[in-house]
Amino acid sequence: MTLVLRNVRPWGGDAADVTLDGGVITAVGPATPEGAAPGSAPVGSLSPDAAVVEGRGRILLPSFSDVHVHLDSTRLGLPFRPHTGAPGVWNMMLNDRQNWRGAEASVAERATMTLGAMIERGTTRVRSYAQVDVDAGLERFEGVLAAREAHRDRADVAVIAFPQAGLLREAGSAEVLEEALRLGADVVGGIDPCALERDPVRHLDIVFGLAEKYSLPVDMHLHEPGQLGLFSAQLIMERTKALGMQGLVTISHGYGLADLPAGQLQELIDEMGALDVSMATIAPAGAPLPLQQLAAAGVRVGLGQDGQRDYWSPYGNADMLDRTWQLAFTSKFRADELIEHCVAVATIGGSSVIDPAAQRLASVADRPGLAVGDPAELVLVEGDTVTAAVMDRLPGRTVIHRGRVVADALQLV
């Protein structure tokens, strides 16, 4: 079915009519007045069954891509609970382990609710973790699969089999991870090969070995500080090069990398660009990722919401526009171009992390995703400009997946 978005402003520019058909953008032309007959639109002759969405001058953006979210741990929609975790990845994991089965709803119910809320706020591309370990077995993984199935016509969801407790500290961990891969996980996860596992060679042997065996990409959580984080990142890139996995490896978080001396940081970024190793950030407090340097080196960068109001953290609200504001704020950006770049990272940047063959950001000034032939993964947002939309984060959004409206704050779909 043909869908026409009438009187919209692509990336906040001039008003236009945008035609969608077959899951892609098929035409972009000058806007026609609201209330005009669809056949009078200058974007071309429309079929009698063409549907029209009145844009009302809203900004048209590529839909958001959340590339780092833990749908298996979310408590959005449930009663608020005090934070009980102790500092440190292992301690936080143990706190989660002690509490997650006592939630007021199942993993599948919580993940399905949160994914639905994310879609309603403009996210149609998701890469979610699903914890697999000797405590949870495959229960959390299956819960995320259930959420994906529930929203299969509203968003594309890739699932990472994630060994949150590591692979070496508890017997049987690697076997649970591999079982998730046999059952259809899309990505092999890994975590802190030095700080948590204390044996980076064995950990990376397992992770990259499974990735090679099942022909899957790798996503490595890296919380490690400074020089330790650098050492792990270098080992990850050595594996990437040795196995010919360019474009198939993502470093998530990379908290300590921004604290590196300037020369080491630039050398690392250049190597990441050369090996096409991508990064996923959640816009944390502290030293921000050097987004401008990463863009200049051609490193794919995406944004995610991490855990949302779960046993790790009380933060998160299913709104990637809100997390985009956080990315701009923690990056200390004020110029419109840089704030808009954060939007580009949260949309097209994330899409290219999920799919290395997808369109990529060419520079900080690049604003792709809304031309003829681009995927019809779109969101309409209120705002005078793109920067204003980030600052205000208003309701009134219309969300389009594969050329079809899947959420509309102005009417029930």
Side-chain angles (χ1 to χ4, degrees):
M1 183 186 74
T2 302
L3 181 67
V4 177
L5 310 179
R6 185 151 53 194
N7 187 24
V8 299
R9 293 183 292 130
W11 279 108
D14 293 337
D17 289 347
V18 177
T19 304
L20 317 175
D21 201 359
V24 299
I25 297 172
T26 56
V28 179
T32 54
E34 290 189 15
S40 67
V43 295
S45 178
L46 302 178
S47 61
D49 63 344
V52 176
V53 171
E54 297 293 357
R56 298 186 293 103
R58 285 176 291 171
I59 296 171
L60 180 67
L61 297 171
S63 60
F64 293 106
S65 304
D66 188 328
V67 301
H68 187 114
V69 63
H70 294 261
L71 285 174
D72 65 315
S73 67
T74 176
R75 284 186 52 87
L76 284 179
L78 299 183
F80 192 85
R81 68 182 301 279
H83 178 64
T84 54
V89 170
W90 184 254
N91 290 330
M92 295 289 283
M93 186 281 299
L94 290 177
N95 179 68
D96 177 88
R97 183 176 282 186
Q98 291 164 6
N99 287 284
W100 71 272
R101 284 190 175 90
E104 297 88 337
S106 69
V107 173
E109 290 168 332
R110 291 183 280 124
T112 299
M113 179 272 171
T114 295
L115 180 58
M118 291 166 59
I119 294 166
E120 290 166 6
R121 290 159 175 79
T123 297
T124 68
R125 293 166 287 204
V126 178
R127 192 185 242 191
S128 174
Y129 298 91
Q131 184 168 326
V132 290
D133 60 20
V134 295
D135 169 69
L138 298 173
E139 184 175 346
R140 296 170 73 139
F141 174 71
E142 291 167 347
V144 175
L145 292 184
R148 176 170 72 179
E149 176 64 17
H151 294 288
R152 66 185 182 277
D153 296 326
R154 305 179 73 208
D156 293 324
V157 181
V159 181
I160 305 167
F162 179 49
Q164 179 73 76
L167 294 168
L168 308 178
R169 299 176 68 124
E170 298 175 314
S173 298
E175 289 76 11
V176 179
L177 174 61
E178 184 166 10
E179 182 62 18
L181 303 181
R182 282 196 290 263
L183 292 175
D186 302 290
V187 184
V188 185
I191 183 170
D192 295 339
C194 292
L196 180 66
E197 295 283 63
R198 301 179 183 178
D199 191 338
V201 173
R202 283 184 62 204
H203 182 82
L204 295 176
D205 278 347
I206 296 171
V207 171
F208 279 87
L210 289 172
E212 188 175 27
K213 180 177 179 179
Y214 291 93
S215 300
L216 293 174
V218 167
D219 185 294
M220 291 290 304
H221 265 59
L222 199 57
H223 308 94
E224 298 170 350
Q227 295 299 314
L228 189 60
L230 173 62
F231 177 65
S232 288
Q234 290 170 334
L235 292 180
I236 292 165
M237 286 189 284
E238 284 180 5
R239 300 291 179 124
T240 302
K241 184 175 182 179
L243 295 175
M245 290 185 64
Q246 289 89 339
L248 299 175
V249 176
T250 300
I251 293 176
S252 281
H253 293 315
Y255 289 142
L257 303 185
D259 291 322
L260 295 173
Q264 283 187 331
L265 177 59
Q266 187 61 57
E267 184 177 348
L268 176 66
I269 289 173
D270 289 342
E271 188 173 3
M272 292 178 68
L275 292 173
D276 199 12
V277 172
S278 62
M279 289 206 73
T281 183
I282 62 166
L289 279 183
L291 294 180
Q292 292 156 283
Q293 288 175 263
L294 290 163
V299 177
R300 292 172 292 131
V301 179
L303 180 65
Q305 297 179 81
D306 206 20
Q308 300 184 74
R309 193 171 291 188
D310 57 12
Y311 301 104
W312 290 69
S313 165
Y315 294 94
N317 62 359
D319 191 346
M320 278 290 289
L321 188 57
D322 194 68
R323 189 56 58 116
T324 302
W325 177 92
Q326 185 171 316
L327 180 62
F329 182 78
T330 57
S331 299
K332 301 179 175 62
F333 289 162
R334 297 190 181 192
D336 283 13
E337 180 182 75
L338 295 178
I339 293 171
E340 288 188 14
H341 177 61
C342 291
V343 178
V345 166
T347 57
I348 295 299
S351 175
S352 71
V353 170
I354 296 171
D355 178 7
Q359 189 173 24
R360 303 180 177 208
L361 296 176
S363 70
V364 168
D366 195 15
R367 304 289 180 264
L370 301 180
V372 171
D374 287 339
E377 301 291 327
L378 307 165
V379 59
L380 287 165
V381 299
E382 300 276 5
D384 295 332
T385 68
V386 174
T387 296
V390 174
M391 295 301 113
D392 295 335
R393 305 181 297 288
L394 297 172
R397 303 176 200 175
T398 301
V399 187
I400 295 162
H401 173 56
R402 298 180 184 172
R404 186 175 67 88
V405 176
V406 294
D408 192 341
L410 304 182
Q411 64 182 57
L412 296 176
V413 178

